[in-house]
Amino acid sequence: MKNIFLALIAIFVFTACSSDDDNQGEEQQISQSHIVEFTTGSLESWVSVGLTTTLTLEDGTESTINSDFDYTQSIVSVEIPENTANFELDFYIEDSSQTEMRFFGSVDNVNVYEETISQQNFQYQYIFN
């Protein structure tokens, strides 16, 4: 009787551990904000660079962000909040210099999209699932 009792306890403990392991194996999506950045080479201060982003949040509200170009770092960027349903952006560079565009997660740093552009106007839109 004692052996049966110990065997039942062992089975119970093993089942409980297995159950916990199964729950830990389920992946949860990580919510994070994203960043879109445009990096250029060195530019003279007279060269105009602009980035306008229109966000549509999950609740349906819209907002527009105008980002300033950092002439020291040669970059302009915008943070896309984690509660965004979709966004559209318009990038403008006066002299059509080559620019690296990168769209990535702010926490995991994983690229969603990247492209090298050499045009004065560039538009990009993205819809989150």
Side-chain angles (χ1 to χ4, degrees):
M1 186 68 156
K2 187 176 179 181
N3 289 342
I4 293 173
F5 183 90
L6 291 174
L8 288 174
I9 290 176
I11 291 171
F12 175 76
V13 169
F14 178 76
T15 304
C17 290
S18 296
S19 173
D20 289 345
D21 289 343
D22 290 343
N23 290 340
Q24 290 174 357
E26 294 174 13
E27 292 184 22
Q28 295 179 344
Q29 283 189 318
I30 298 172
S31 295
Q32 64 180 324
S33 60
H34 287 77
I35 297 173
V36 180
E37 65 184 18
F38 292 86
T39 307
T40 69
S42 294
L43 298 177
E44 297 295 326
S45 60
W46 56 265
V47 177
S48 295
V49 179
L51 177 61
T52 302
T53 308
T54 303
L55 304 172
T56 303
L57 303 180
E58 291 171 347
D59 66 4
T61 58
E62 283 191 4
S63 64
T64 301
I65 301 170
N66 293 306
S67 302
D68 294 324
F69 184 74
D70 181 334
Y71 286 88
T72 305
Q73 301 282 328
S74 300
I75 193 168
V76 61
S77 64
V78 63
E79 182 173 354
I80 310 297
E82 64 185 66
N83 62 337
T84 302
N86 64 67
F87 69 90
E88 296 179 23
L89 59 81
D90 293 307
F91 172 75
Y92 170 82
I93 184 165
E94 186 175 7
D95 66 354
S96 304
S97 294
Q98 181 171 313
T99 303
E100 300 294 326
M101 180 264 203
R102 183 173 174 235
F103 171 32
F104 59 97
S106 64
V107 175
D108 63 12
N109 204 31
V110 172
N111 283 348
V112 176
Y113 182 79
E114 61 184 327
E115 181 176 347
T116 300
I117 57 175
S118 296
Q119 58 201 56
Q120 196 170 34
N121 292 300
F122 177 77
Q123 296 179 330
Y124 182 78
Q125 60 184 1
Y126 187 83
I127 299 171
F128 290 93
N129 291 333

